[in-house]
C-alpha cells in the first residue's frame, strides 16, 4: 500500500491520514491565496496552495474529498504528456522553433534557429551565427550541458525581446512596474512580487503571440491587485478585452515547449 509523501514549504511536515491515496503532494503557503487551491502539473505533481494562516491539519480530509477529482485530472494530464512525447525533442535539438511573434492563426513559427554542434576541448558555449543560426561548441557529447547553454541563450533572447514589450505595455496600459527579470521557472510563466518586480519565463518565446501578450498583461495587472479576485479579472478584461481564450490556451501551454527545455 502506497503512502502519501507530503512536503510543506515553510510549514511543518505532518503525516498523511489516508494511506490509500496513491499520489504525493506538496503544500505551499502563499500570501496571495484567499482560499485553498489544488494545482496539478503536467508531470503529475500535485501542489496545494493555502493562505498563510490556514490550519494544515484540515488538509487530509480535504484531499480525501477531492481524491477522485485529483486522480482523474492527474491521469488525464499524464496521458496527454505521454501522448505528445514523440513530438518533443528529448535529446539535443537541431532547431529552435519560436512562436512569440506568430499569431495563433499562423501554423508556422515566427523564428526558426538552426542548431549545430562542434566538439571542442574548451568550455561549452552557445554562439549565435548570422542568419538565425546557433553553434554549440565544447563538450557536445554531454547533452545536459548543451541544453543548458541553449536555455541560457533563450534567457538572453527573452530579456532582449520580451522585456521591451513588457515596458511598452506598461506605458500603454498605465500599469507601472519596477524591475524586470527573466528566468526558467518550472511551474510559472511569469510572476509579480509585492514590490512590483516582474519575472518572465524564457519559455514564453515558444508560445503564440496573443498568449504571450495575455501573460504580460496579466502580470502588469498584479501590480494593482496581488490576487485573483473579481477586481483583478475586471482589470485584466479592461486592459485586454476578450482575453479568456488565451487564458484557456495557456493552461495547456506546456504543449508548445520542447521537452529538452524542461530537462
Amino acid at each position: 500500500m502506497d503512502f502519501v509523501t507530503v512536503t510543506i514549504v515553510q510549514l511543518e511536515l505532518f503525516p498523511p491520514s489516508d494511506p490509500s491515496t496513491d499520489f504525493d503532494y506538496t503544500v505551499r503557503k502563499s500570501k496571495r491565496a484567499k482560499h485553498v487551491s489544488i494545482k496539478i502539473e503536467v508531470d503529475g505533481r500535485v501542489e496545494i496552495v493555502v493562505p498563510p494562516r490556514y490550519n494544515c491539519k484540515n488538509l487530509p480530509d480535504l484531499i480525501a474529498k477531492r481524491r477522485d477529482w485529483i486522480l482523474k485530472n492527474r491521469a488525464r494530464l499524464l496521458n496527454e504528456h505521454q501522448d505528445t512525447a514523440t513530438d518533443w525533442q528529448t535529446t539535443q535539438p537541431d532547431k529552435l522553433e519560436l512562436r512569440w511573434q506568430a499569431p495563433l492563426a499562423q501554423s508556422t513559427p515566427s523564428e526558426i534557429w538552426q542548431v549545430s554542434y562542434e566538439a571542442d576541448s574548451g568550455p561549452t558555449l552557445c554562439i549565435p551565427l548570422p542568419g538565425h543560426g546557433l553553434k554549440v561548441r565544447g563538450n557536445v557529447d554531454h547533452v545536459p550541458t548543451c541544453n543548458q547553454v541553449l536555455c541560457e541563450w533563450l534567457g538572453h533572447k527573452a530579456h532582449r525581446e520580451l522585456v521591451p514589450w513588457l515596458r511598452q505595455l506598461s506605458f500603454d496600459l498605465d500599469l507601472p512596474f519596477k524591475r524586470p527579470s527573466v528566468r526558467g521557472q518550472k511551474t510559472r510563466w511569469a510572476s509579480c512580487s509585492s514590490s512590483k518586480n516582474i519575472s518572465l519565463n524564457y519559455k514564453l518565446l515558444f508560445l503564440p503571440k496573443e498568449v504571450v501578450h495575455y501573460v504580460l498583461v496579466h502580470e502588469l495587472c498584479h501590480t494593482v491587485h496581488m490576487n485573483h479576485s473579481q477586481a483583478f479579472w475586471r482589470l485584466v478584461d479592461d486592459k485586454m478585452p476578450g482575453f479568456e481564450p488565451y487564458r484557456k490556451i495557456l493552461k495547456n501551454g506546456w504543449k508548445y515547449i520542447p521537452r529538452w527545455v524542461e530537462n
Side-chain angles (χ1 to χ4, degrees), residues 44-85:
R45 288 177 295 168
V46 179
E47 180 185 57
I48 314 298
V49 183
V50 301
R53 297 184 179 181
Y54 181 79
N55 185 353
C56 290
K57 292 181 179 179
N58 296 327
L59 278 177
D61 289 340
L62 183 147
I63 294 298
K65 291 178 181 178
R66 302 298 303 277
R67 181 176 181 274
D68 290 344
W69 179 88
I70 293 172
L71 291 176
K72 177 182 177 181
N73 285 278
R74 185 172 180 268
R76 176 180 61 81
L77 287 170
L78 286 172
N79 286 335
E80 290 179 357
H81 192 283
Q82 184 176 7
D83 290 342
T84 58

Side-chain angles (χ1 to χ4, degrees), residues 2 19 24 32 34 37 103 149 154 175 191 195 214:
D2 295 330
D24 300 340
R32 295 184 184 181
K34 301 299 182 183
S37 61
V149 296
L154 285 169
L175 294 172
S191 63
S195 301
Y214 162 69

Side-chain angles (χ1 to χ4, degrees), residues 228-260:
H228 290 106
S229 61
Q230 291 185 358
F232 168 80
W233 291 115
R234 284 196 297 268
L235 182 61
V236 176
D237 187 56
D238 179 62
K239 301 300 183 180
M240 187 180 180
F243 71 90
E244 280 290 353
Y246 312 124
R247 182 188 178 195
K248 292 178 181 178
I249 292 171
L250 188 65
K251 290 181 179 179
N252 288 317
W254 59 269
K255 291 184 176 181
Y256 289 95
I257 312 301
R259 176 166 296 183
W260 66 265

Side-chain angles (χ1 to χ4, degrees), residues 192-251:
C192 178
S193 73
S194 57
S195 301
K196 298 188 179 183
N197 299 323
I198 293 180
S199 178
L200 303 178
N201 194 325
Y202 56 68
K203 297 168 192 173
L204 290 170
L205 293 170
F206 293 95
L207 301 186
K209 183 177 182 179
E210 296 93 336
V211 181
V212 179
H213 187 178
Y214 162 69
V215 172
L216 302 186
V217 173
H218 183 113
E219 297 309 324
L220 287 170
C221 289
H222 275 314
T223 62
V224 179
H225 301 288
M226 288 295 296
N227 51 49
H228 290 106
S229 61
Q230 291 185 358
F232 168 80
W233 291 115
R234 284 196 297 268
L235 182 61
V236 176
D237 187 56
D238 179 62
K239 301 300 183 180
M240 187 180 180
F243 71 90
E244 280 290 353
Y246 312 124
R247 182 188 178 195
K248 292 178 181 178
I249 292 171
L250 188 65
K251 290 181 179 179

Side-chain angles (χ1 to χ4, degrees), residues 117-188:
Y117 298 85
E118 179 181 307
D120 188 87
S121 58
T124 304
L125 303 171
C126 178
I127 305 169
L129 302 174
H132 282 186
L134 298 172
K135 178 187 288 185
V136 176
R137 187 173 67 192
N139 184 9
V140 296
D141 292 329
H142 193 258
V143 175
T145 301
C146 293
N147 292 348
Q148 179 183 345
V149 296
L150 285 171
C151 286
E152 290 173 357
W153 177 84
L154 285 169
H156 290 303
K157 181 172 178 61
H159 203 284
R160 187 171 61 250
E161 307 284 9
L162 299 185
V163 169
W165 187 1
L166 180 68
R167 291 192 187 280
Q168 184 63 53
L169 278 174
S170 172
F171 176 80
D172 293 343
L173 302 177
D174 192 23
L175 294 172
F177 68 99
K178 290 186 178 178
R179 291 195 304 272
S181 62
V182 174
R183 297 186 295 144
Q185 298 96 316
K186 291 292 185 180
T187 60
R188 292 186 178 186

